[in-house]
Amino acid sequence: QLQLVESGGGLVQSGGSLRLSCAASGFRLDYYVIGWFRQAPGKERETISCISSDSGSTHYGDSVKGRFTISRDNAKNTAYLQMNSLRPEDTAVYSCAATHQVRGQDLFSLCVSRDLYAMDYWGGGTAVSVSS
């Protein structure tokens, strides 16, 4: 079964940190762009970060730039989102997704400009709640 599973969400105080994980099973992430998306209650889904298959390119949304770091460990078939200096407005369900990347395809077209469900694979999400 091909799937992505997120973990690491939870309740944290404002200013705290969490690290989310995105583990793939049934396929290798080595040739896939990975993106993290979030959706807060009553708000539109937001693409917050993307990373290329070779980790050579990354993207961050303005709302998380300087606070969140995306990374991946292809040997562990897992991607991560380190979230620091969390704010109450970061409260949301966070989902990871993957899209196959071939040579010449750029991060923007494969991830940044896409909705979660336009990616090849996506997970069920993990909830993050930040208290003030």
Side-chain angles (χ1 to χ4, degrees):
Q1 186 177 1
L2 308 178
Q3 62 178 357
L4 293 171
V5 178
E6 303 92 340
S7 62
L11 175 64
V12 64
Q13 288 189 330
S14 181
S17 298
L18 284 173
R19 188 176 83 153
L20 305 183
S21 297
C22 171
S25 60
F27 70 106
R28 296 294 308 174
L29 281 177
D30 302 54
Y31 300 105
Y32 285 79
V33 163
I34 297 167
W36 284 96
F37 303 76
R38 71 182 181 187
Q39 187 163 24
K43 294 188 177 181
E44 291 188 357
R45 188 162 38 245
E46 177 185 7
T47 306
I48 56 173
S49 189
C50 299
I51 186 168
S52 62
S53 57
D54 63 358
S55 301
S57 298
T58 57
H59 164 83
Y60 296 95
D62 289 341
S63 61
V64 305
K65 199 171 295 182
R67 299 187 298 123
F68 291 11
T69 303
I70 191 170
S71 63
R72 61 192 298 158
D73 186 338
N74 287 343
K76 294 183 178 180
N77 218 26
T78 301
Y80 304 96
L81 186 69
Q82 178 67 42
M83 306 187 296
N84 298 329
S85 302
L86 283 162
R87 306 165 179 167
E89 55 264 39
D90 294 318
T91 295
V93 174
Y94 286 71
S95 301
C96 67
T99 288
H100 189 250
Q101 181 177 28
V102 299
R103 189 182 298 276
Q105 291 183 309
D106 64 281
L107 198 61
F108 183 84
S109 64
L110 292 176
C111 181
V112 178
S113 63
R114 292 195 183 195
D115 180 65
L116 173 67
Y117 298 116
M119 305 287 280
D120 293 344
Y121 304 103
W122 55 87
T126 184
V128 172
S129 182
V130 184
S131 63
S132 57

